[in-house]
Structures are given as structure tokens and as C-alpha cells.
Amino acid sequence: FGQAIGDALGLATEYMTKAEADVHYKDIKLFEFSHIIQDYHRKTWKQGDWTDDTDVMVTLMKSVVEDPEMNPKIFSKNYLHWLH
């Protein structure tokens, strides 16, 4: 859960420089999903949604549960299922 929450919050500054993040978020003391600016990149997601990084992590976790030896064919099968 922590990874998904961190991913959803991290979207706020994804692909930004520190200077850009300071411009948009400098005066925010307690960050909430509603604070995320809705520019070209971020408006693709709903408020509080995570990115494909979490989807890939869930796919990886599912693959490890299916086969702790981490068979690449199982990961590929699960990844293709997610992709479609």
C-alpha cells in the first residue's frame, strides 16, 4: 500500500526539476491529492490514482507469488495481461 500511495503522491512532481516543484508546491504544508497541479502530464490521472509504476509492481508481485523462482515467462504472461 505504501508503494501505491507514494506513487500517487509522487505524480505531483514526476518529471519536474526541484525549481519547478518549488514554484508549484512551495507554500503547501500538508500535501493532499487535491494539491496536484493539473498540467498536460498530470491531468491524465484521476485524483489519487497511481501510475503504471504501481501496476508493474503489482504484476511483479503476482509473478513472484506464482513462481518464487521468478520465471520470466510468468512475468511476461502477467505483464501482457495487464497491458491488454
Side-chain angles (χ1 to χ4, degrees), residues 10-18 20 41-42 45 52-53:
L11 177 62
T13 58
E14 186 173 57
Y15 303 123
M16 284 186 185
T17 65
K18 184 178 182 323
E20 290 170 325
H41 177 63
R42 278 153 269 283
W45 287 270
D52 61 327
D53 296 346

Side-chain angles (χ1 to χ4, degrees), residues 45-81:
W45 287 270
K46 294 178 183 173
Q47 185 176 345
D49 200 5
W50 59 67
T51 72
D52 61 327
D53 296 346
T54 298
D55 293 325
V56 172
M57 176 60 73
V58 170
T59 301
L60 179 62
M61 290 169 50
K62 181 179 177 183
S63 301
V64 170
V65 168
E66 286 183 42
D67 181 5
E69 299 290 320
M70 197 51 210
N71 183 329
K73 290 182 180 179
I74 291 175
F75 177 77
S76 297
K77 173 193 65 124
N78 290 334
Y79 186 77
L80 287 172
H81 177 75

Side-chain angles (χ1 to χ4, degrees), residues 9-14 16-39 42:
L9 286 170
L11 177 62
T13 58
E14 186 173 57
M16 284 186 185
T17 65
K18 184 178 182 323
E20 290 170 325
D22 282 344
V23 166
H24 295 292
Y25 305 115
K26 185 175 185 146
D27 296 325
I28 296 174
K29 302 295 183 219
L30 180 62
F31 197 86
E32 298 177 11
F33 291 119
S34 61
H35 294 137
I36 297 175
I37 62 163
Q38 295 299 299
D39 61 5
R42 278 153 269 283

